[in-house]
Amino acid sequence: MDADLVFSIKNSDHNKIYVVRDNKILFRLKIKEPDKDKYDSYDGELDIMMDGIKNHPFDNLYFQKDNHKEKFEKSIYKVSWHGFSYNQNGNIKMPVINLKNQKNQKDSGIRHKGKIKNDKLFPFPICSLYIPKNFFDNSIKFQKIQNGIPKENIINVKKDVFSRIDFFILPTNYSVNDFFMTSASLLYLISDNTLFSREYHGEVRKLKVYHPYKSLKIIDHDILYRIIENEETFLPELDNTYSLFIHNPNNSFDVLYNRLTTIDEDRYSLRDEHDKELERIRNKKQLERIRNKDKSND
């Protein structure tokens, strides 16, 4: 077997998600906790690594800024998205997104304010992966998915279909079921990604067809994803390309929750309602912990 086509899972704790088509790995998303020995202290929960096809760059890579999207002109092969700030040798550094070249060297770094923390019941929109119907570059040596990788860590996409996969990560202590009991969940279900962009003023641009969310769990984090197939997106320049769009962690929460919404004839603040729902869920979990502790003492 060609050594280039073998993907080793040695030393893997299965903290990766694999996007696969026809047994070929098109994308890997790995999440891990920050290295406690590397920093004096840190505030936040996750490192997120995004690896494209080996030795093949993304056709396009965009990052959503506050009021516009930015395209990176250089070839990018990997991205590391750090959802925490840290103190190192007395220097405070904000979260950063590192864009890497073929040699896994940092090409660019973007500071941001997005910390994945469990003070919000909020599925953080991380990235959207665009996958063309077909790859016509015969020089690509795709890595193959191996036996031993849990099936629940594998996202299969259809052959000969243009697909976009949207990824969202929940902080610890909150489940997908917790989120879908909140008022904001309906907006996720009916809206495209314009919902998370200040550029579009949090516009609720409905998808043409309902695309259900699915979920999986990696190291105590519930991850939501949805696959959108054969549908024009709000970034037509990325349609039917192999591209990565990184969402803006600075303002996605504010864009979504700083709005008035209506139930029947009553208008209320979605942020205020979210805070109430968050408090109810916290109280419920605290009560469950007390009950479980009492049972263990019996």
Side-chain angles (χ1 to χ4, degrees):
M1 181 179 291
D2 191 331
D4 288 337
L5 300 182
V6 176
F7 178 67
S8 173
I9 59 172
K10 184 179 179 181
N11 298 325
S12 169
D13 293 323
H14 303 306
N15 59 346
K16 301 183 185 74
I17 299 170
Y18 304 83
V19 176
V20 174
R21 184 163 68 191
D22 193 25
N23 207 38
K24 299 172 182 176
I25 298 174
L26 306 183
F27 183 74
R28 288 185 295 270
L29 189 149
K30 174 183 176 180
I31 72 173
K32 66 184 185 69
E33 296 177 350
D35 186 349
K36 296 180 174 63
D37 297 328
K38 188 176 181 180
Y39 310 110
D40 298 335
S41 63
Y42 63 86
D43 183 28
E45 296 186 359
L46 284 178
D47 270 338
I48 302 171
M49 313 300 177
M50 309 169 203
D51 293 351
I53 297 168
K54 185 177 180 181
N55 295 323
H56 183 75
F58 295 102
D59 294 335
N60 304 280
L61 190 144
Y62 278 79
F63 173 72
Q64 181 68 54
K65 297 272 190 170
D66 280 354
N67 295 305
H68 70 283
K69 63 185 73 68
E70 185 171 312
K71 179 181 179 180
F72 291 91
E73 300 299 334
K74 297 181 181 180
S75 295
I76 300 299
Y77 292 74
K78 298 182 179 183
V79 176
S80 59
W81 192 104
H82 305 280
F84 59 92
S85 61
Y86 60 88
N87 181 335
Q88 191 172 33
N89 300 323
N91 295 317
I92 304 296
K93 296 290 188 180
M94 294 301 290
V96 65
I97 297 171
N98 291 322
L99 307 178
K100 299 182 179 182
N101 59 25
Q102 189 173 8
K103 296 180 180 180
N104 201 29
Q105 298 169 334
K106 184 174 75 171
D107 196 290
S108 301
I110 308 163
R111 291 288 172 189
H112 62 85
K113 300 176 183 177
K115 301 177 187 178
I116 295 183
K117 296 177 63 177
N118 61 18
D119 58 346
K120 296 183 179 71
L121 173 51
F122 177 58
F124 289 79
I126 301 299
C127 67
S128 293
L129 174 69
Y130 291 71
I131 302 171
K133 290 182 179 180
N134 295 290
F135 290 90
F136 296 103
D137 186 348
N138 294 326
S139 68
I140 301 175
K141 293 184 177 181
F142 291 99
Q143 294 174 315
K144 303 282 185 162
I145 200 76
Q146 277 196 332
N147 294 331
I149 296 174
K151 291 183 178 180
E152 56 268 25
N153 290 44
I154 300 172
I155 299 174
N156 284 289
V157 293
K158 296 178 182 177
K159 295 182 183 179
D160 303 318
V161 173
F162 162 54
S163 304
R164 187 190 84 198
I165 307 178
D166 303 323
F167 290 98
F168 305 83
I169 295 183
L170 278 154
T172 53
N173 299 331
Y174 297 117
S175 69
V176 168
N177 289 335
D178 290 334
F179 172 68
F180 280 112
M181 294 298 291
T182 69
S183 303
S185 61
L186 179 61
L187 292 174
Y188 275 75
L189 292 172
I190 66 173
S191 299
D192 201 356
N193 289 337
T194 49
L195 183 66
F196 307 104
S197 172
R198 185 167 287 149
E199 178 182 1
Y200 296 98
H201 307 290
E203 175 185 344
V204 181
R205 184 177 294 183
K206 292 185 178 180
L207 296 165
K208 294 178 183 178
V209 179
Y210 170 66
H211 299 275
Y213 282 87
K214 298 180 181 180
S215 68
L216 51 84
K217 183 180 285 292
I218 302 285
I219 60 166
D220 297 327
H221 288 264
D222 277 12
I223 297 176
L224 278 169
Y225 69 92
R226 64 179 174 186
I227 304 174
I228 296 173
E229 298 172 340
N230 278 339
E231 183 170 327
E232 292 182 359
T233 72
F234 72 99
L235 284 176
E237 61 267 42
L238 300 188
D239 291 351
N240 206 32
T241 68
Y242 180 63
S243 299
L244 188 65
F245 181 84
I246 302 172
H247 296 289
N248 188 345
N250 296 7
N251 59 33
S252 53
F253 180 84
D254 290 336
V255 165
L256 177 60
Y257 286 94
N258 285 351
R259 65 179 71 212
L260 292 175
T261 188
T262 303
I263 294 181
D264 297 325
E265 297 181 356
D266 297 327
R267 291 173 64 81
Y268 64 92
S269 162
L270 192 56
R271 181 185 283 273
D272 290 344
E273 189 63 23
H274 173 268
D275 289 343
K276 294 176 186 176
E277 291 164 342
L278 187 62
E279 187 63 27
R280 285 196 293 268
I281 290 172
R282 284 174 175 164
N283 290 338
K284 180 180 177 181
K285 290 181 181 295
Q286 179 65 21
L287 183 60
E288 289 173 350
R289 284 194 292 268
I290 292 172
R291 287 174 176 169
N292 290 335
K293 186 177 179 180
D294 290 342
K295 288 180 180 179
S296 63
N297 292 333
D298 289 343

